[in-house]
Amino acid sequence: MSRLRQAAQAARSAFRAQQQTRSYSLLDKLSKQAKDAVNKTKEAAEELQKEQLQQLKNQAAAATSSLGERVQQAASNAQQLAKDTVDELKKQNSPGGAAGSTAGGGSAGSAEGQPQPPPGSAEQQQQQQQQQQRDGAGEQQGGGGAAPGGDGQQPGAEAGTKQKAAPPSVAQRLKSFASAAAQEIIRTVQSEQTVASALRGSSAKASNVQTASTDALAVSKQQQSAWQRQYEEMRGKLGSHPFFARMRGLNLGDNPVFSKGREVGESIRERWETSDSTFVHRIQDAVDSLQTESEQARALREIRARDPSFDMVDFLRSLRDDVQVVIKAYLESNEDIIREHCSPEMIERLTGIMRAQKQQGLVPDPTLLDTSEVELVDLKFLDEEPIVVVQFTCQQINCTRDSFGNVVDGQADEVHRVYYYWALQQEKEGYVGADGAYHPPRWQLREMLIRGMHHLL
């Protein structure tokens, strides 16, 4: 009997060891699958980021090429305009000069062909008067382009009335072309620049906005996505089929087989959810991590729920101008700009630092030499508010002076590259601007962190 008991115990221990090895192998497989899923997610995110960066590069190249084409077109138009102007001037001057020379030649020929009267006689005086009249007629023909003829003041007047609308001069044409080319270049460059600020919005807030005193509710129909529309269409098609209509008519709730199966399924689910096994807990955690929505997705969904027109690429591009404004205001101790761009917590912190520097008589150098592109780091929730974390670098002069202008820290020509982290928080509601229009929620600077710096020059 003792041998049988020992054999049974050995068999039990072997069975338990076999079960443990199987469970460990299954756990290893699940952990490998989870790691593979995480790696695939990271690769997909990196590919998406690369695609966005490539799109930005393509947009910049397209904008540069369009600007170059417009400048070349403006230059070709300038050359063509100058050429047309010169040709027109040649056409205007050639008939007058020919007429003047013809008139002059005719008068000279007539003067040479006739015998010269003695000087001082009446005939000589008459000839001189006729010569003066012919010279005046020739000048009128050359300047106004009149018909030839020495006795014709009336034809010259008629030609002058016909040419009242004189063409513009060369200087006027060049001036008008230069203004048109400048406006075209300005319009091209401004079309690529951002119109609105990311932190201040496209318009200032109106101070005299009166809200309506009503408790009426407005019901708006939520727009369905493409997947939801396809699901509804498929559901409608299947619901109209005779087989499914017949199945809906059957009352399976009173069937003992279905009721017993439902009870068995509920008991199995209860055991699974209330199990104390570590193996079951690991499986549940893996399933939850695959099925639940990530924090970045929830934050982006909340941002777009508040602002349906939100675009991350345009937001980061417009944020670069705000970076220069806020950093320079912080270095210059400009509290008005800080209050306009930052949240209440950040306003209190930055104004405290700036006031402490003023009390100590310290004045940092506010010079910003360069600002890099703003890069997205993370999307998360902080106090149930969506937060966008970005990073950028600034080239600054590392020099602090006292109230007398003496350098107390750094040097006047010492350039540092400073690495910043910004956390931006979106407001809950939109606002009515000074233009009377409703604008989407603005963004505020919630946190600012200097994560490092290094010496450049």
Side-chain angles (χ1 to χ4, degrees):
M1 293 295 293
S2 60
R3 291 180 179 178
L4 290 175
R5 288 178 181 175
Q6 291 177 358
Q9 290 178 358
R12 288 177 184 175
S13 60
F15 182 71
R16 289 176 181 175
Q18 188 176 5
Q19 284 185 342
Q20 288 180 356
T21 54
R22 289 181 179 178
S23 62
Y24 288 151
S25 62
L26 184 58
L27 287 175
D28 292 337
K29 291 180 180 179
L30 290 175
S31 62
K32 288 180 180 179
Q33 291 178 358
K35 288 180 180 179
D36 294 338
V38 171
N39 293 331
K40 290 181 179 179
T41 306
K42 289 182 179 179
E43 291 176 357
E46 291 176 356
E47 290 179 357
L48 181 61
Q49 190 174 6
K50 289 180 180 178
E51 290 178 357
Q52 292 178 353
L53 182 60
Q54 187 64 29
Q55 289 178 358
L56 289 176
K57 290 181 179 179
N58 294 335
Q59 291 177 0
T64 305
S65 62
S66 64
L67 179 60
E69 290 176 358
R70 292 190 181 183
V71 171
Q72 290 179 0
Q73 186 177 2
S76 62
N77 292 336
Q79 293 178 359
Q80 186 66 27
L81 181 60
K83 186 178 179 181
D84 296 341
T85 306
V86 171
D87 295 339
E88 187 173 355
L89 287 174
K90 288 180 179 179
K91 291 179 181 178
Q92 289 179 1
N93 293 331
S94 58
S101 62
T102 304
S107 62
S110 62
E112 291 177 358
Q114 295 177 358
Q116 297 293 334
S121 63
E123 295 179 0
Q124 179 70 20
Q125 292 178 359
Q126 290 179 359
Q127 288 181 3
Q128 289 178 359
Q129 291 178 359
Q130 291 177 1
Q131 182 68 24
Q132 290 177 0
Q133 291 177 359
R134 289 172 182 174
D135 293 341
E139 290 178 358
Q140 290 179 0
Q141 292 169 1
D151 56 349
Q153 292 182 358
Q154 293 181 356
E158 291 178 358
T161 55
K162 289 181 180 178
Q163 295 183 356
K164 283 183 179 179
S169 62
V170 180
Q172 292 177 352
R173 291 194 177 189
L174 292 177
K175 186 176 179 180
S176 63
F177 169 73
S179 62
Q183 291 178 0
E184 184 70 20
I185 293 173
I186 290 172
R187 184 165 55 252
T188 304
V189 174
Q190 286 182 350
S191 64
E192 300 298 331
Q193 294 178 353
T194 55
V195 178
S197 169
L199 300 181
R200 291 170 291 175
S202 58
S203 176
K205 286 187 177 181
S207 58
N208 55 353
V209 178
Q210 297 180 359
T211 57
S213 58
T214 179
D215 55 353
L217 297 177
V219 180
S220 61
K221 186 177 180 181
Q222 186 177 5
Q223 188 176 3
Q224 293 182 346
S225 62
W227 291 102
Q228 291 176 347
R229 290 195 298 270
Q230 291 181 1
Y231 175 74
E232 293 294 336
E233 291 177 0
M234 184 61 68
R235 184 178 178 183
K237 291 179 181 179
L238 293 178
S240 61
H241 196 272
F243 174 75
F244 292 100
R246 192 181 303 111
M247 292 296 294
R248 284 197 303 269
L250 296 177
N251 189 8
L252 301 178
D254 297 335
N255 195 328
V257 177
F258 283 96
S259 60
K260 187 64 176 178
R262 190 182 302 111
E263 292 177 358
V264 171
E266 290 177 356
S267 63
I268 292 174
R269 183 181 303 151
E270 184 178 358
R271 289 181 182 180
W272 174 263
E273 293 176 353
T274 59
S275 176
D276 296 334
S277 175
T278 56
F279 174 69
V280 174
H281 289 172
R282 290 184 181 181
I283 295 177
Q284 290 176 353
D285 294 338
V287 172
D288 292 339
S289 63
L290 293 175
Q291 292 181 352
T292 55
E293 189 178 17
S294 63
E295 186 177 8
Q296 292 82 0
R298 290 193 298 111
L300 186 58
R301 179 165 54 83
E302 180 65 23
I303 290 171
R304 288 184 174 171
R306 299 179 181 182
D307 183 9
S309 62
F310 177 78
D311 187 0
M312 183 62 71
V313 177
D314 294 339
F315 173 73
L316 296 177
R317 188 185 299 125
S318 60
L319 190 61
R320 185 179 182 184
D321 297 335
D322 296 320
V323 165
Q324 299 177 0
V325 174
V326 175
I327 297 297
K328 197 164 186 179
Y330 171 67
L331 296 175
E332 294 177 350
S333 300
N334 192 338
E335 295 186 7
D336 295 335
I337 296 180
I338 295 298
R339 294 181 186 279
E340 186 180 358
H341 291 79
C342 301
S343 64
E345 300 86 358
M346 200 64 192
I347 292 172
E348 184 177 359
R349 185 186 309 172
L350 294 181
T351 53
I353 295 173
M354 292 187 293
R355 290 170 185 172
Q357 289 179 349
K358 286 184 179 180
Q359 291 178 359
Q360 296 176 4
L362 300 178
V363 181
D365 194 328
T367 305
L368 286 179
L369 301 178
D370 185 34
T371 304
S372 69
E373 297 290 340
V374 182
E375 300 178 359
L376 178 64
V377 177
D378 196 5
L379 287 170
K380 58 177 61 179
F381 270 96
L382 182 62
D383 296 336
E384 298 301 325
E385 294 294 333
I387 300 294
V388 177
V389 182
V390 298
Q391 66 178 0
F392 57 90
T393 61
C394 293
Q395 292 184 11
Q396 302 175 201
I397 303 295
N398 184 28
C399 180
T400 304
R401 305 176 187 271
D402 57 10
S403 57
F404 300 100
N406 301 320
V407 178
V408 296
D409 186 16
Q411 297 179 3
D413 57 351
E414 185 178 352
V415 181
H416 278 194
R417 183 185 295 276
V418 185
Y419 297 85
Y420 287 93
Y421 269 136
W422 272 17
L424 303 165
Q425 177 180 342
Q426 189 185 31
E427 295 180 350
K428 291 184 178 180
E429 297 178 354
Y431 67 97
V432 178
D435 54 355
Y438 180 79
H439 298 276
R442 301 194 303 179
W443 290 82
Q444 295 179 342
L445 178 60
R446 177 68 181 269
E447 295 289 341
M448 182 173 68
L449 174 65
I450 298 177
R451 63 185 180 94
M453 63 177 67
H454 71 271
H455 180 73
L456 288 179
L457 297 175

